Amino acid sequence: MIDFVVHDEGDSVGVVVVEGVEAGAELTGWIMDQDRDITFRAASDIPIGHKLAIKPMKTGETVLKYGVDIGRVVADIAVGEHAHVHNIKTKRW
């Protein structure tokens, strides 16, 4: 079963596609461009449609989703953590 999807292995995050991801759960993700699976342990609860960090990110770094710059990290994010508005902000304003 696939729990999250990632466009390319160079992305920083994947998108959770199942309900009820809880901290500590073992998750399987599918990297679409490379057609391969990866696994991570969720470090926090993550709602469906929200982002899961698939690599550690430091404050100030760029976040890539679907190969596109979606913003900058405003608080360090560990692998498996929920990546959302509390730790990522747009660069537009």
Side-chain angles (χ1 to χ4, degrees), residues 5-7 13 20 27 34 38 41 43-44 47 54 56 64 68 75 78 85:
V5 294
V6 178
H7 184 267
V13 296
L27 305 176
Q34 287 76 29
I38 55 175
R41 185 162 307 281
S44 51
I54 63 168
L64 295 177
V68 176
V85 297

Side-chain angles (χ1 to χ4, degrees), residues 36-92:
R36 69 180 181 89
D37 293 345
I38 55 175
T39 59
F40 289 101
R41 185 162 307 281
S44 51
D45 296 349
I46 307 171
I48 190 170
H50 285 230
K51 296 173 294 299
L52 161 79
I54 63 168
K55 51 183 69 171
M57 294 175 274
K58 298 286 185 193
T59 300
E61 290 183 350
T62 294
V63 180
L64 295 177
K65 175 183 168 188
Y66 303 133
V68 176
D69 177 343
I70 64 163
R72 65 182 165 78
V73 177
V74 295
D76 291 355
I77 308 170
V79 171
E81 282 189 351
H82 185 200
H84 198 54
V85 297
H86 63 285
N87 50 22
I88 299 172
K89 301 293 182 198
T90 182
K91 293 178 180 176
R92 294 182 188 181

Side-chain angles (χ1 to χ4, degrees), residues 1-5 17 25-30 37-40:
M1 180 173 112
I2 299 299
D3 302 300
F4 66 95
V5 294
V17 295
E26 184 76 20
L27 305 176
T28 300
W30 175 49
D37 293 345
I38 55 175
T39 59
F40 289 101

